[in-house]
């Protein structure tokens, strides 16, 4: 197993940069002065090159062909030693860019023409070989390495954590997330949700959430692996971090996913949401994210009206747990609760009467306007309070309109 560095997964960008440098370097070098030689006998691994000297050559170490990092570090360290040479890879890049001006390129093209076909061919092969040697592992290879660590039960916990951190970065592009599914990696990550250490469970939930987001293929696989109920239990964790990441994963699995929502509600998802929302000791960020999820679920119903509405939107206890959030001292939470109520009011479910009689929405909205009036007077939160007040007014109007429909027109 090749261990690159503490941050293997950054090598993609680094590799691209290096490849670019080498193309430029090879282009200039091949045409202008030096020869590229593979020195089979050399024991001093390194790249040596002196501009303007016909005798110089690039010597590629053959001692350890499997160890790409030795080639790179040899190049970098050799460059460090050059008199007036490059102190870093960046220096090499600067030099290469500086020497890639049109005139130099024209000259090198002319020089190249003077070479025989065989010589050109040989040179190309050598450059290709050099590039192959320096080729960085692909994202799929990096994912496989991380998965090998997860499979290995004797890997220490820090390495397990690091493997998951790497996956967290790697799964961000949708193609990689799909590859993770194809590599059978999702099952491994889902398995980590049962790890005894909270931080391993937390980062595993994070990886699952990130890979599932807006990805029907991954959502389907993760749901089939039965991860949703595990994640739902984790939302009630005593660790706020774990609860938040678990909720993130739950949201990613059920947003815009009908099968996910059905499973969520069949496993008492509405009770879970209520438990978090009505517990004033639960973490404030967790509560904000939970009420946002409610908001999104209601919005999803609006956009997909063929579906029967989830009964929670007509459940008085559920609705009360949201209305009660308007009394929170956290303005952000208040705003998110208003947004959720706004979306819920758009649904066909007759809930305005419940919102009035059981949840006391009328009184809550009145109390809110007085409070917001106080906040606008203060400087810091003033603008935000104004926008929340506008939203509050909108909710109040929608509410009264719907109440009229339900009690008047709706009753006939
Ligand atoms: C290859 O390296 C050895 C040892 O450093 C040196 O003696 C020899 O001249 C080199 N050959 C070429 C072709 O550069
Ligand atoms: C690769 O080469 C580097 C630098 O020479 C060395 O530190 C490292 O131990 C080598 N790794 C392997 C796996 O041989
Ligand atoms: C599992 O991990 C241990 C400890 O890092 C390592 O020594 C061993 O080679 C690994 N096994 C496999 C099959 O990779
Ligand atoms: C409320 O949340 C706190 C903090 O997570 C937790 O310790 C407590 O058990 C919860 N209370 C209920 C009734 O669920």
């Amino acid at each position: 197993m090749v261990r690159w560095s503490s941050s293997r997964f950054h090598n993609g960008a680094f590799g691209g940069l290096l490849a670019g440098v080498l193309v430029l370097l090879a282009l200039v070098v091949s045409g202008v002065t030096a020869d590229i030689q593979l020195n089979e006998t050399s024991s001093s691994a390194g790249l040596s090159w002196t501009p303007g000297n016909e005798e110089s050559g690039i010597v590629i170490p053959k001692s350890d062909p499997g160890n790409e990092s030795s080639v790179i570090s040899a190049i970098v360290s050799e460059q460090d030693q050059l008199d007036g040479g490059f102190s870093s890879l960046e220096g090499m890049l600067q030099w290469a860019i500086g020497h890639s001006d049109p005139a130099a390129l024209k000259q090198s093209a002319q020089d190249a023409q003077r070479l025989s076909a065989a010589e050109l061919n040989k040179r190309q092969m050598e450059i290709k070989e050099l590039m192959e040697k320096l080729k960085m592992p692909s994202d799929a290879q990096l994912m496989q390495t991380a998965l090998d660590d997860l499979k290995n039960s004797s890997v220490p916990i820090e390495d397990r954590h690091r493997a998951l951190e790497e996956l967290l970065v790697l799964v961000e592009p949708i193609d990689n997330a799909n590859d993770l599914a194809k590599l059978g990696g999702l099952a491994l990550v889902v398995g980590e949700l049962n790890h005894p250490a909270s931080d391993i469970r937390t980062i595993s939930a994070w990886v699952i959430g990130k890979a599932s987001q807006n990805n029907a293929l991954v959502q389907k696989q993760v749901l089939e692996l039965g991860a949703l109920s595990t994640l739902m239990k984790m939302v009630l964790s005593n660790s706020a971090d774990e609860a938040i990441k678990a909720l993130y994963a739950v949201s990613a699995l059920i947003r815009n996913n009908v099968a996910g929502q059905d499973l969520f509600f069949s496993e008492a998802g509405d009770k879970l949401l209520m438990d978090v929302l009505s517990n004033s000791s639960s973490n404030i960020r967790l509560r904000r994210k939970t009420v946002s999820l409610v908001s999104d679920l209601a919005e999803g119903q609006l956009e997909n009206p063929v579906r029967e509405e989830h009964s929670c939107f007509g459940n008085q206890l559920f609705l009360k747990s949201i209305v009660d959030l308007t009394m929170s001292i956290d303005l952000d939470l208040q705003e998110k609760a208003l947004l959720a109520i706004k979306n819920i009011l758009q649904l066909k479910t007759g809930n305005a009467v419940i919102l009035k009689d059981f949840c006391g929405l009328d009184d809550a909205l009145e109390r809110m306007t007085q409070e917001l009036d106080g906040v606008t007077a203060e400087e810091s939160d003033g603008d935000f309070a104004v926008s929340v007040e506008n939203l509050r007014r909108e909710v109040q109007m929608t509410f009264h309109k719907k109440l009229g429909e339900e009690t008047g027109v709706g009753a006939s």
Side-chain angles (χ1 to χ4, degrees):
M1 177 166 37
V2 177
R3 281 269 178 236
W4 279 85
S5 63
S6 57
S7 55
R8 281 184 290 206
F9 53 86
H10 289 308
N11 280 327
F14 177 68
L17 172 71
L18 189 64
V21 170
L22 285 166
V23 167
L24 288 169
L25 196 60
L27 194 65
V28 175
V29 168
S30 71
V32 182
T33 53
D35 259 323
I36 293 172
Q37 297 174 327
L38 286 170
N39 190 336
E40 307 280 345
T41 59
S42 169
S43 57
S44 65
L47 173 100
S48 57
W49 170 79
T50 318
N53 179 352
E54 287 291 336
E55 308 305 318
S56 69
I58 293 175
V59 181
I60 297 165
K62 292 289 271 188
S63 50
D64 187 4
N67 187 343
E68 294 94 324
S69 66
S70 74
V71 180
I72 294 166
S73 58
I75 289 177
V76 175
S77 69
E78 187 72 24
Q79 290 296 354
D80 282 340
Q81 289 156 20
L82 277 181
D83 203 10
F86 314 118
S87 60
S88 65
L89 205 59
E90 198 188 353
M92 188 156 71
L93 175 67
Q94 293 302 333
W95 177 88
I97 289 171
H99 285 74
S100 65
D101 66 283
L105 282 178
K106 189 159 171 248
Q107 180 60 42
S108 56
Q110 283 167 1
D111 289 348
Q113 274 164 14
R114 274 185 238 123
L115 298 171
S116 72
E119 276 173 323
L120 262 180
N121 200 30
K122 180 165 166 274
R123 204 162 276 189
Q124 268 167 3
M125 294 298 293
E126 284 162 350
I127 290 169
K128 199 164 156 236
E129 196 167 328
L130 176 65
M131 299 300 290
E132 282 297 310
K133 254 188 198 300
L134 294 172
K135 212 171 99 184
M136 297 296 170
S138 67
D139 281 1
Q141 285 166 326
L142 290 172
M143 275 197 281
Q144 190 58 62
T145 309
L147 293 176
D148 288 344
D149 281 353
L150 293 186
K151 269 184 227 160
N152 184 343
S153 57
S154 41
V155 154
I157 193 159
E158 313 84 71
D159 289 352
R160 188 165 290 272
H161 197 271
R162 199 200 46 219
L164 287 161
E165 275 173 9
E166 292 174 6
L167 287 177
L168 186 63
V169 175
L170 286 163
V171 297
E172 199 139 7
I174 192 160
D175 290 342
N176 284 359
N178 290 339
D179 282 349
L180 184 67
K182 285 180 208 140
L183 290 168
L186 289 172
L188 285 170
V189 181
V190 167
E192 296 298 309
L193 292 176
N194 296 312
H195 198 280
S198 170
D199 61 337
I200 296 285
R201 295 194 301 268
T202 303
I203 191 165
S204 303
W206 198 357
V207 172
I208 291 167
K210 201 174 253 186
S212 306
Q213 210 149 38
N214 305 313
N215 187 325
L217 180 95
V218 173
Q219 282 171 341
K220 184 164 181 289
Q221 270 207 23
V222 174
L223 291 172
E224 282 167 4
L225 287 164
L228 187 63
S229 59
T230 313
L231 289 163
M232 286 169 69
K233 287 190 197 90
M234 282 167 66
V235 171
L236 295 173
S237 164
N238 281 326
S239 149
D241 241 15
E242 181 173 343
I244 287 169
K245 292 300 187 285
L247 184 76
Y248 167 72
V250 167
S251 305
L253 284 170
I254 69 176
R255 271 200 180 101
N256 305 316
N257 188 309
V258 173
Q261 285 173 26
D262 286 347
L263 196 57
F264 178 75
F265 286 111
S266 78
E267 303 213 1
D270 45 355
K271 183 173 179 303
L272 174 68
L273 296 172
M274 238 179 341
D275 285 350
V276 174
L277 293 178
S278 55
N279 183 348
S280 56
S281 340
S282 54
N283 180 280
I284 188 74
R285 284 176 55 220
L286 180 67
R287 294 173 90 203
R288 289 186 198 137
K289 284 171 192 295
T290 304
V291 73
S292 291
L293 176 60
V294 171
S295 210
D296 289 351
L297 288 173
E299 196 174 13
Q301 301 269 281
L302 280 172
E303 288 165 2
N304 196 3
V306 230
R307 258 188 82 67
E308 204 180 315
E309 288 177 0
H310 292 300
S311 57
C312 66
F313 297 119
N315 174 335
Q316 51 188 27
L317 286 172
F318 184 82
L319 293 173
K320 188 161 191 312
S321 70
I322 296 163
V323 172
D324 286 349
L325 297 179
T326 60
M327 285 176 258
S328 157
I329 51 163
D330 185 77
L331 197 53
D332 203 357
L333 187 59
Q334 285 184 314
E335 187 205 27
K336 288 180 162 62
L338 283 175
L339 282 169
I341 295 167
K342 184 181 144 189
N343 287 346
I344 288 169
L345 282 168
Q346 322 267 328
L347 296 172
K348 286 200 296 290
T349 309
N351 46 29
V353 173
I354 298 172
L355 284 167
K356 178 173 183 287
D357 294 344
F358 189 81
C359 310
L361 182 58
D362 247 343
D363 291 346
L365 292 172
E366 279 309 321
R367 256 199 317 272
M368 222 179 159
T369 194
Q370 288 159 19
E371 249 177 61
L372 287 167
D373 214 29
V375 185
T376 21
E378 293 166 22
E379 281 302 307
S380 61
D381 267 349
D383 290 349
F384 187 33
V386 169
S387 81
V388 176
E389 169 58 20
N390 289 339
L391 177 62
R392 190 206 61 84
R393 228 175 280 154
E394 194 187 338
V395 168
Q396 198 165 36
M397 265 169 49
T398 315
F399 172 50
H400 285 142
K401 185 162 165 281
K402 188 162 188 191
L403 199 57
E405 285 165 9
E406 278 181 33
T407 53
V409 187
S412 65

